Amino acid sequence: MRYSACLEWLFAAEAPVFADRIRLAKKAGLDGVEFWLWSNKDIAAIRAALDETGLPLTGFVAEPMVPLTDPAKHAEFLEGLKRSIEIAQQLGAPMLIAQAGADLPGRSRTEQRSALTDCLRKAADILAGSGVVLAVEPLNTLVDHVGYFLPSTEEGLDIIDDVGRPEIRILYDIYHSAVMDEQIAKVLDGRLDRIAHAHLADMPGRHEPGTGRLDWQARVGWLEANGYRGMVGLEYKPSVATEASLKAVLAG
C-alpha cells in the first residue's frame, strides 16, 4: 500500500513553513502528500516543493466549505469549485474533497439528500473534462462531527450512485467509519470502484496507527486485497515526533 501524508498534522511541529513539510514527507519515505484548504497557503511554494521532491499531491478540499444540503449555498460552492479546479490543475492534484455539510434543522433528510445530490450533479458538469474528481467524505457524528449530515458510508455510496457521474466519487475514511461501527467488507463490498481516496487514523484519539484499538492493518489489507490501488492518506494527530509515528505504518 502507498501512503500519503496529510500535512495539516504530519510534520506540522517540525516545519512551521508549510512547503517544508513536503520535503520532510519525501525524506520520511511517504508516497504522496495532501492538505485541507488551499486558500491559506503559498501555492507557488507548494508547487516548487512538489517539483523538487517529485511527490504527487493526492488532493485537497474544494472551497468554500458550505453546506451542500442547503440549496441557497449551491451557487457559492459551484463558483468556488471552478477556482479550486484551477488550483488542482496547477498542482497536479487529481482529487478535490467535499463535505456534505450540516444536518439542517427543520428540513427532512429526504429534502437535504435531494439538495446534496442536485449540487453534486451540477458539480459534475463543472468537473467534466478537467481531470479532477470530487470525493464526498462521510464523517462520524459520535465524536468529531456532531450534527453532520452524512455519517454513513453506505448512504454516501448510495448518493454517489444516484448522481451517476464518474466525476463524483467518495472518500472512505477508515477512522470515521470505525467510529460509526461500520464493517469495511459490508459497506464497501462490490462498490470499491466508487472510492477515490482513503484516510487512516487509529481510534480512540485519532493518533497514529498502533496507538489505539483499531484493526487498521486488517482494514488496509482488505482494501488492497479487493483491488484498491489508490493511496491511503495518513490523516492523524501524531502523539510523538512525526517520523517516529510513521514507523508502524511504513514497516507494515
Side-chain angles (χ1 to χ4, degrees), residues 64-202:
M65 294 183 70
V66 295
L68 307 188
T69 47
D70 184 356
K73 297 293 185 180
H74 288 181
E76 181 183 359
F77 174 77
L78 294 170
E79 188 59 35
L81 178 62
K82 296 174 186 176
R83 180 59 177 154
S84 294
I85 292 170
E86 291 175 1
I87 299 298
Q89 290 171 330
Q90 288 178 31
L91 298 177
M95 176 191 67
L96 293 168
I97 301 167
Q99 295 182 356
D103 189 351
L104 302 173
R107 304 188 193 182
S108 69
R109 286 197 63 82
T110 299
E111 179 185 3
Q112 293 179 80
R113 177 166 163 168
S114 177
L116 172 58
T117 303
D118 180 60
C119 186
L120 293 174
R121 287 197 181 107
K122 292 174 181 175
D125 289 338
I126 295 171
L127 289 154
S130 68
V132 180
V133 302
L134 185 68
V136 181
E137 185 174 20
L139 304 171
N140 84 77
T141 53
L142 298 179
V143 178
D144 303 278
H145 299 277
V146 176
Y148 186 67
F149 177 79
L150 189 62
S152 165
T153 298
E154 286 186 282
E155 185 174 12
L157 287 165
D158 289 343
I159 290 169
I160 300 308
D161 287 348
D162 288 345
V163 173
R165 294 285 297 272
E167 297 88 357
I168 307 299
R169 309 279 291 284
I170 201 163
L171 194 160
Y172 178 67
D173 191 303
I174 294 171
Y175 164 78
H176 288 302
S177 182
V179 171
M180 297 305 296
D181 200 29
E182 295 181 342
Q183 301 304 309
I184 186 169
K186 180 177 183 295
V187 298
L188 297 186
D189 188 35
R191 298 206 280 185
L192 197 62
D193 60 333
R194 281 77 154 178
I195 306 247
H197 192 51
H199 277 163
L200 174 64
D202 212 329

